[in-house]
């Protein structure tokens, strides 16, 4: 995309661009754009599979698109988070200006690193300052069975497990971002966890004592790709070399839904990266996350 857009940027007048919120009539072109990279764009593709439309949601989330005439050059989901879709870094300023003018605040930006960092650079100039910038997060995939034997105790969770899974999810969130997901109320995060369980996208091992030993979620799922999120091992069980077998089990269960399993990980998390490599994950790109 960058190679196609960059030469144009140097010579075309900025007034030739149009930035607008996508509607239902734009669904086909948004999907075609996202299909250019089904791994990087699994979030928006899962949304389109679920809703069938690019139009704004009832909760106020919307997709901004950058157009040159009738051609959609790039887009960005703007809900609780900002998620670029095949957006060249050189176009990030147009999206930043548009989302800034909405007056909304966003919890994060995540996606391909170069574009995420470009978006944040423009938003910072507009007064949006990050709590943390994770500039390099290897994007990993595995397209076949895991390289090691999976731990068969990992199962798809049911709603009967909700009361045990929710505290584990909250603990993982707080470890990952530094604050509780229950700030401002427990309802939204609880609904999110319950929704993943109902969809069959919550994976957990609960031992005989009722303790969550390991859990992970398939945060975005399409027919092509699943994206693993929320990987968490009970602190009492860490350091025993158990994580790789659990992650192998995640892959086995995820492959029942889609042939490719993906995730992204902080580059400084050497232990997690080594675990994923043992399982058979390989790097296919680099993400970044900006936390506000």
């Amino acid at each position: 995309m960058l190679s196609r857009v960059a030469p144009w940027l140097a010579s075309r007048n900025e007034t030739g661009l149009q930035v607008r919120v996508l509607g239902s009539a734009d669904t086909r072109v948004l999907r075609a754009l996202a299909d250019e990279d089904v791994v990087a764009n699994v979030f928006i593709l899962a949304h389109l599979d679920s809703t069938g439309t690019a139009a704004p949601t009832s909760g106020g989330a919307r997709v901004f698109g950058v157009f040159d005439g009738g051609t959609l050059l790039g887009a960005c989901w703007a809900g609780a988070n900002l998620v670029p879709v095949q957006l060249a870094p050189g176009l990030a300023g147009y999206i930043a200006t548009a989302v800034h003018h909405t007056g909304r605040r966003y919890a994060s930006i995540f996606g391909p690193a170069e574009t995420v960092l470009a978006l944040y650079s423009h938003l910072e100039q507009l007064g949006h300052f990050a709590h943390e910038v994770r500039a390099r997060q290897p994007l990993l995939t595995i397209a076949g069975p895991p390289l090691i034997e999976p731990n068969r105790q990992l199962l798809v969770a049911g709603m009967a497990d909700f009361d045990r899974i929710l505290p584990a999810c909250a603990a993982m969130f707080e470890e990952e971002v530094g604050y509780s997901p229950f700030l401002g109320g427990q309802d939204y995060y609880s609904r999110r966890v319950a929704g993943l369980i109902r969809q069959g996208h919550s994976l957990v091992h609960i031992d005989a004592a009722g303790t969550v030993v390991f859990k992970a979620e398939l945060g975005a799922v399409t027919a092509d790709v699943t994206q693993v999120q929320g990987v968490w091992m009970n602190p009492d069980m860490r350091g025993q070399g158990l994580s790789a077998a659990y992650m192998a089990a995640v892959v086995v269960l995820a492959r029942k839904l889609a042939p490719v399993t993906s995730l992204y990980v902080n580059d400084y998390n050497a232990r997690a990266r080594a675990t994923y490599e043992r399982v058979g994950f390989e790097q296919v790109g680099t993400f970044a996350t900006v936390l506000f």
Side-chain angles (χ1 to χ4, degrees), residues 12-270:
R12 187 171 178 88
N13 191 298
E14 289 183 1
T15 60
L17 279 179
Q18 179 188 16
V19 181
R20 63 171 175 83
V21 174
L22 273 57
S24 58
D26 301 302
T27 304
R28 181 184 59 79
V29 293
L30 177 61
R31 180 177 288 278
L33 185 74
D35 276 340
E36 293 178 10
D37 189 336
V38 296
V39 173
N41 298 319
V42 63
F43 174 87
I44 193 67
L45 287 168
H47 170 74
L48 292 176
D49 285 349
S50 174
T51 65
T53 181
T57 71
S58 59
R62 59 195 117 175
V63 181
F64 286 90
V66 183
F67 289 84
D68 178 17
T71 302
L72 179 62
L73 300 178
C76 186
W77 166 269
N81 309 292
L82 297 174
V83 187
V85 181
Q86 297 299 102
L87 183 70
L91 298 178
Y94 301 107
I95 293 293
T97 299
V99 299
H100 170 72
H101 285 159
T102 68
R104 295 185 62 172
R105 292 287 172 173
Y106 301 94
S108 73
I109 316 170
F110 65 86
E114 195 175 357
T115 297
V116 165
L117 297 176
L119 264 173
Y120 176 57
S121 176
H122 288 285
L123 285 169
E124 188 177 34
Q125 295 174 42
L126 295 169
H128 302 258
F129 300 107
H131 165 69
E132 184 179 356
V133 177
R134 300 176 181 181
R136 293 189 59 83
Q137 297 175 305
L139 176 63
L140 311 176
T141 64
I142 180 172
L147 299 182
I148 64 172
E149 184 66 23
N151 186 326
R152 302 291 179 178
Q153 297 177 99
L154 188 74
L155 302 172
V156 177
M159 284 306 298
D161 304 316
F162 173 78
D163 288 339
R164 293 184 176 91
I165 291 174
L166 180 62
C169 289
M172 178 282 305
F173 185 99
E174 190 160 356
E175 284 183 34
E176 182 68 15
V177 302
Y179 58 86
S180 170
F182 298 147
L183 287 177
Q186 186 171 322
D187 187 55
Y188 174 81
Y189 189 73
S190 297
R191 289 201 312 271
R192 169 65 175 163
V193 172
L196 289 166
I197 295 173
R198 290 192 186 97
Q199 294 171 50
H201 297 169
S202 176
L203 312 177
V204 67
H205 173 209
I206 300 174
D207 68 15
T211 301
V212 174
V213 178
F214 177 93
K215 68 95 189 169
E217 289 82 46
L218 306 179
V221 176
T222 70
D224 299 305
V225 183
T226 60
Q227 186 179 86
V228 180
Q229 299 174 354
V231 176
W232 183 83
M233 174 72 76
N234 190 303
D236 292 340
M237 310 293 182
R238 294 175 189 175
Q240 300 178 37
L242 302 175
S243 295
Y246 280 115
M247 281 306 304
V250 169
V251 173
V252 169
L253 294 171
R255 290 184 72 219
K256 295 180 179 181
L257 301 176
V260 176
T261 308
S262 72
L263 57 83
Y264 56 99
V265 58
N266 294 319
D267 64 340
Y268 53 77
N269 193 340

Side-chain angles (χ1 to χ4, degrees), residues 1-10 17 73-74 86-91:
M1 173 61 88
L2 182 58
S3 62
R4 187 178 73 192
V5 173
W8 166 85
L9 285 175
L17 279 179
L73 300 178
Q86 297 299 102
L87 183 70
L91 298 178

